Amino acid sequence: MKVLYFAWLKEKTGIGQEDVDLPGDVTDVAGLIDWLKSRGDGYASAFADVTTVRAAVNQEHVPFDHPLRNGDEVAFFPPVTGG
Amino acid sequence: MIRVQQDDFDPGQELDALARGNAAIGGVCSFIGLVRDFADGDSITAMTLEHYPGMTEKQLADIEAEAQARWPLDATLIIHRYGELKPGDRIVMVACASAHREAAFEACHFLIDWLKTKAPFWKKEHARSGGKWVEAKDKDDVAAMRWRKDEN
């Protein structure tokens, strides 16, 4: 599964994009966040306050209870500020 | 038409091109967003715009299609820049052409309001004190809410 990070989530994780094997017990976006947080301080810091984090799966905005499948493209970012 | 680019653009040329060759168009309405030189009392010296290539184009195409479904439009344009910008630089341009002005005005307003809450762009403002990611504003959500249809 491809996971992407943008804006300050990219700065805190130190990663723009990575390939991860989805653990068997992770079934949705919230589960993926919990698993990512266990992978190191950068991740824990990036996801410390998930009320400031938004997610997209396969380039569509989704809520955290959105289901995940291996092969999905998942992205994490702050609320958008374009325009 | 959707364009996501680093380079600047010429609004006059873009507006001419939008309406050229279609005499059914009675009006063109546009909005242009610029980099301000102030934020929260700080002087802004530069701005970095990051985006999510792929999702950006997809979201902008969806927003454009939604405007075309809601209003009788002859042509629409969304240009959004990314990369390093300076105060006074153009960031975004939206334009709508229609037979009558109401559709052009309303669709233009809709496009910029929806773009601000859906298109995956993030602004980082640079001041003498350092760089800071711009936080999303509640008023942008409120502005976008008014365009939500009752059934949503």
Side-chain angles (χ1 to χ4, degrees):
Chain A
M1 166 180 287
K2 187 154 95 171
V3 184
L4 299 96
Y5 308 90
F6 292 95
W8 52 259
L9 279 111
K10 178 162 81 178
E11 292 175 349
K12 289 189 175 183
T13 58
I15 295 166
Q17 174 179 328
E18 62 180 334
D19 286 308
V20 302
D21 288 321
L22 194 62
D25 58 344
V26 171
T27 58
D28 63 10
V29 174
L32 176 61
I33 290 175
D34 285 341
W35 178 71
L36 289 170
K37 281 167 79 171
S38 72
R39 295 176 73 213
D41 291 346
Y43 292 97
S45 166
F47 292 105
D49 178 6
V50 291
T51 65
T52 61
V53 176
R54 300 290 179 270
V57 172
N58 300 326
Q59 306 187 351
E60 297 288 351
H61 296 284
V62 296
F64 286 172
D65 63 358
H66 188 86
L68 292 180
R69 286 181 203 87
N70 237 325
D72 281 343
E73 177 177 309
V74 184
F76 294 105
F77 43 77
V80 300
T81 56
Chain B
M1 189 197 300
I2 305 294
R3 297 221 311 266
V4 182
Q5 61 189 51
Q6 277 187 282
D7 294 338
D8 194 17
F9 51 87
D10 181 329
Q13 277 185 12
E14 300 296 344
L15 290 174
D16 281 349
L18 196 66
R20 193 178 302 139
N22 184 355
I25 292 171
V28 178
C29 188
S30 66
F31 173 85
I32 295 169
L34 308 172
V35 180
R36 273 189 299 267
D37 71 353
F38 68 92
D40 305 325
D42 261 342
S43 277
I44 300 303
T45 54
M47 173 182 280
T48 308
L49 259 154
E50 186 177 325
H51 80 114
Y52 180 174
M55 180 169 173
T56 303
E57 289 81 358
K58 190 173 182 179
Q59 292 293 317
L60 292 180
D62 286 352
I63 293 166
E64 183 180 50
E66 182 68 26
Q68 288 173 351
R70 291 194 191 193
W71 288 276
L73 302 172
D74 291 282
T76 50
L77 173 68
I78 304 174
I79 304 175
H80 206 302
R81 295 178 67 192
Y82 63 92
E84 309 298 321
L85 302 177
K86 298 281 185 202
D89 282 354
R90 285 177 277 268
I91 303 171
V92 62
M93 175 174 180
V94 301
C96 296
S98 182
H100 301 288
R101 70 179 181 282
E102 290 84 357
F105 268 118
E106 287 183 18
C108 190
H109 203 162
F110 165 83
L111 281 180
I112 191 66
D113 281 352
W114 267 38
L115 181 159
K116 282 184 96 72
T117 58
K118 292 183 186 294
F121 286 95
W122 301 276
K123 290 174 180 158
K124 189 173 193 177
E125 290 172 335
H126 303 277
R128 209 162 292 166
S129 53
K132 187 180 164 192
W133 290 100
V134 174
E135 287 182 24
K137 295 178 179 65
D138 290 342
K139 69 182 173 64
D140 289 336
D141 286 330
V142 172
M145 281 288 275
R146 94 169 104 152
W147 301 106
R148 287 182 66 166
K149 290 183 169 171
D150 293 341
E151 63 267 27
N152 288 345

